[in-house]
Amino acid sequence: MAVDPLHSATNPPPRGSRPNAVEVRRSARRSRTVSAYREGDRTIVLIPDRMSEAEEQRWVTVMLDKLAAQESKRLFGDAELAERARRLSAQYFGGRACPVSVRWVTNQNTRWGSCTPAEGSIRLSHRLQGMPEYVVDYVLVHELAHLLVPGHGPRFWQLLEAYPRTERARGYLEGVVAAGRLPHLPGTRGE
């Protein structure tokens, strides 16, 4: 069965994402484990036969995110980041947001990104490297929107509605921040 639960005509896959379809393969021999891999332009998700449709949908989402995170660990440089910003501007803002420079920086530890509209410069925190593509894309779209609307008023948030994974990406980033505030147990994080 080939399904793509996350992407449709109204919610297309993120630019640069590889798979066009998701194929779920059920197995009676598989009791608890779920796995996924890329096969050409498809993602194959292997699940136990006994799973409900709701569990299947949840696991497909989880596995797509895991694969995307693994793939995004391939670090890309400033030139690729600038090209990505150009594609996102074209896709979500009709090309109206035209940054002069887009680059990774290591001096942003409390922000995910920043923009100086007067200079047309966008800077993304290196902490985003390795996060899922849709999260990096959200931060880029957020900063691109600042080239069109400098503040965080209603017009700004209306622009961001064009990016279909805004709420999900914001939730992901909020989770990263919250996890950083949790007490660390002895024996974790290199202790």
Side-chain angles (χ1 to χ4, degrees):
M1 154 169 90
V3 297
D4 193 342
L6 298 179
H7 307 120
S8 65
T10 57
N11 188 19
R15 297 283 276 190
S17 67
R18 289 180 16 198
N20 291 330
V22 175
E23 181 180 327
V24 176
R25 295 181 185 167
R26 292 175 172 268
S27 170
R29 292 189 329 202
R30 192 173 279 271
S31 62
R32 285 184 291 223
T33 60
V34 176
S35 62
Y37 60 92
R38 304 283 193 208
E39 186 176 89
D41 65 348
R42 296 179 306 150
T43 301
I44 310 300
V45 180
L46 306 170
I47 65 171
D49 193 38
R50 62 170 176 71
M51 277 194 181
S52 69
E53 288 292 320
E55 288 174 308
E56 174 184 314
Q57 293 293 336
R58 185 178 74 78
W59 275 107
V60 165
T61 300
V62 166
M63 298 312 288
L64 286 174
D65 286 346
K66 280 187 176 189
L67 285 172
Q70 289 170 355
E71 290 165 353
S72 71
K73 289 206 187 295
R74 176 191 70 81
L75 303 179
F76 50 93
D78 292 347
E80 292 162 305
L81 191 63
E83 175 55 31
R84 194 172 191 155
R86 277 190 286 282
R87 284 194 320 260
L88 290 167
S89 175
Q91 184 174 1
Y92 296 109
F93 304 127
R96 293 179 299 135
C98 301
V100 173
S101 70
V102 182
R103 61 191 175 96
W104 295 107
V105 294
T106 58
N107 63 349
Q108 289 188 10
N109 294 314
T110 59
R111 293 178 175 199
W112 297 112
S114 62
C115 176
T116 306
E119 297 173 5
S121 62
I122 293 175
R123 294 157 308 279
L124 263 57
S125 172
H126 72 286
R127 297 177 305 136
L128 289 165
Q129 292 177 327
M131 290 190 186
E133 286 184 10
Y134 74 91
V135 175
V136 176
D137 286 353
Y138 163 72
V139 176
L140 272 173
V141 168
H142 183 106
E143 300 309 332
L144 286 165
H146 279 308
L147 293 175
L148 303 173
V149 178
H152 286 107
R155 282 185 48 229
F156 172 83
W157 294 110
Q158 189 175 26
L159 279 176
L160 277 188
E161 288 177 6
Y163 184 66
R165 299 184 93 180
T166 292
E167 288 306 312
R168 185 173 191 167
R170 289 184 66 172
Y172 184 98
L173 292 171
E174 288 171 10
V176 169
V177 170
R181 294 185 188 133
L182 293 174
H184 302 293
L185 299 173
T188 61
R189 291 199 179 209
E191 291 180 19

